[in-house]
Amino acid sequence: MHANLRNFIETLQREKQIVVIEAEVDPNLELAEIHRRVIEEEGPALLFKRVKGSAFPVVTNLFGTRGRVDLAVGPKPEVTVQRAVAALDRLLPPKPSVLWQEKDWMLSLAKSGLRTVNPKHAPVLEIRESQVDLTRLPVLTSWPEDGGPFVTLPLVYTEHPVTRDHNLGMYRIQIYGASQTGIHWQIHKGGGFHYHEAERLGQDLPTTLFLGGPPALILSAIAPLPEMLPELIFTSFLMGEKLNQVRVPNHSHALIAEAEFAICGTVPAHVRKPEGPFGDHYGYYSLTHDFPIFNVHTVYHRRDAIYPATVVGKPRQEDYYIGEYLQSLLSPMFPVVMPGVKALWTYAETGFHALAAAIVRESYHREALAHAFRILGEGQLTLTKFLIITDVRLDLQDFRNLLETVLARFEPKSDLLILNETSIDTLDYTGRRLNHGSKAIMLGLGSPIRDLPREAPVGTLPGVFEIKPFCAGCLLIEAPSFSNSPELANDLLQHLQKEPFRDWPLVILVDDLNLALEPAGFLWQVFTRFDPAHDIYASTELLNHRLVYHGPILIDARMKPGYPGEVIPDEATITLVNRRWKEYGLN
């Protein structure tokens, strides 16, 4: 579809979907604040021509609407996936007549692959810098408490040291100096697996950081692909043509020929350095922890290279629109990869990993639970913290309706499972210890077992400020902060089991009730602020080695001591951008 970044920018210009900003802008906080204001209004992509301290322009907000994501890849990939999945039962075993009927999409798949080109036809090689100075790049500092400038659209390429299987992932890169960065390899991701194996063998891991290239390359680096599907092949599929690579001396793997930058180096074994803090896509700061380092020996780039960037923070940001597209594209494949799973959705407002929901087959007793465990064992879905399961056909993106449907069928003593001592997303601090936490599965199957209350109960609860329903069956309670009232959730249980509250199957304590009344605010505030094993409360009994819950179920979704703070722009930057707004030409 688009062979490189500048081809995509030209398309955005024709579609009047990009604005060029000629005023000089500081990559330290100012640029990010401009970006945030524009994306909040679903505004255009932004091309900053003059960035303080760098000769390279910066482009942001490339994917800040679903329409621009569609412009990046076109409709063909979705159509091909849908047709391929629909034809599977007729293709096994293959018959000539059926193959002929499906030849169009099969031929498009056959075009996918990699192609090695002559260095003369590789724009990324136009400039080679062996005297590396990464501080010349216009790397953004997005939030006032960030540990420094971070590369925010990094395309990190590695190969397994034994099998040579490749991985392309988006792992944040903190600039430490002229030739060294951090590399935030999370424990559940492909690049981290490669590095783990290299360390086990006592080897440094050759690594390339790409910036730019085909927009499909960025989408592929984020996509939650099955491990057997290489990201570069998926990139080629999205492009509808082969992906060009080029070989260079003294580097163990090929480079993306159409990238804007290729930053080559190694990640040494058994070396760590503090990385962070960083305002991340959960809407909070991830804290400082020791991570591997990336030592750079060579930088290649186009003569007129453009530096692509994004800004992460509270939803909705660019990753929201990319994630929504990738789910729409890949969701028809879930029933193929996981038979019995009819539909699956993860929620961008929760950082994707904190909440997932699925429609599954329930043809025998508790079959749904088997499918739930299958989901929690699949790729990046292993990071899921809270999983909602139903067998009712509905639109999983309509969360309020989903929750009502499940709560009408939810039997606490059999339909709530809390799995202690599991791993969770590195960026999720609700587990109280890095990478450690718990998971919960909530089931709502079969026919309704109750009529859900809809009106706020006429009654009071001690120690709370306000009570309102989020939806039928789910009651929100605004309460004092956890620091001021840490035992409140436990104290409320006895009151919730009496009229007029006992008919509400789910009650949630929140810091900001008004924010939680709308689905987006509910999803973000609730699911990013509780760990199932710590923060779910219910009356319980031990029965035959099984912990049995009795409703109502209470979730304490207030901020807890030790949680990192929310990302908030600083007043000086807000004032600066307010004053200069007309200079940017964005009115």
Side-chain angles (χ1 to χ4, degrees), residues 261-384:
F261 296 86
I263 300 171
C264 305
T266 58
V267 179
H270 308 295
V271 178
R272 301 291 189 275
K273 193 171 181 177
E275 187 262 7
F278 177 71
D280 65 40
H281 69 279
Y282 277 90
Y284 310 94
Y285 286 98
S286 56
L287 304 180
T288 301
H289 301 283
D290 289 343
F291 277 91
I293 64 170
F294 175 40
N295 292 324
V296 178
H297 57 66
T298 309
V299 174
Y300 297 92
H301 64 81
R302 289 172 177 260
R303 194 174 307 279
D304 55 348
I306 301 170
Y307 178 90
T310 190
V311 177
V312 295
K314 296 176 186 176
R316 300 177 172 177
Q317 303 295 333
E318 276 188 87
D319 59 342
Y320 172 90
Y321 299 100
I322 294 172
E324 297 282 280
Y325 168 78
L326 290 171
Q327 291 197 85
S328 297
L329 174 66
L330 298 173
S331 58
M333 298 171 58
F334 289 135
V336 178
V337 177
M338 297 180 285
V341 177
K342 299 176 181 178
L344 188 146
W345 197 256
T346 63
Y347 295 84
E349 294 88 349
T350 72
F352 293 106
H353 298 315
L355 175 65
I359 302 168
V360 303
R361 183 181 62 215
E362 171 81 348
S363 58
Y364 58 84
H365 180 62
R366 308 301 278 178
E367 181 187 6
L369 201 54
H371 298 309
F373 288 132
R374 178 67 180 87
I375 291 167
L376 293 177
E378 180 63 36
Q380 291 191 36
L381 289 169
T382 59
L383 296 172
T384 302

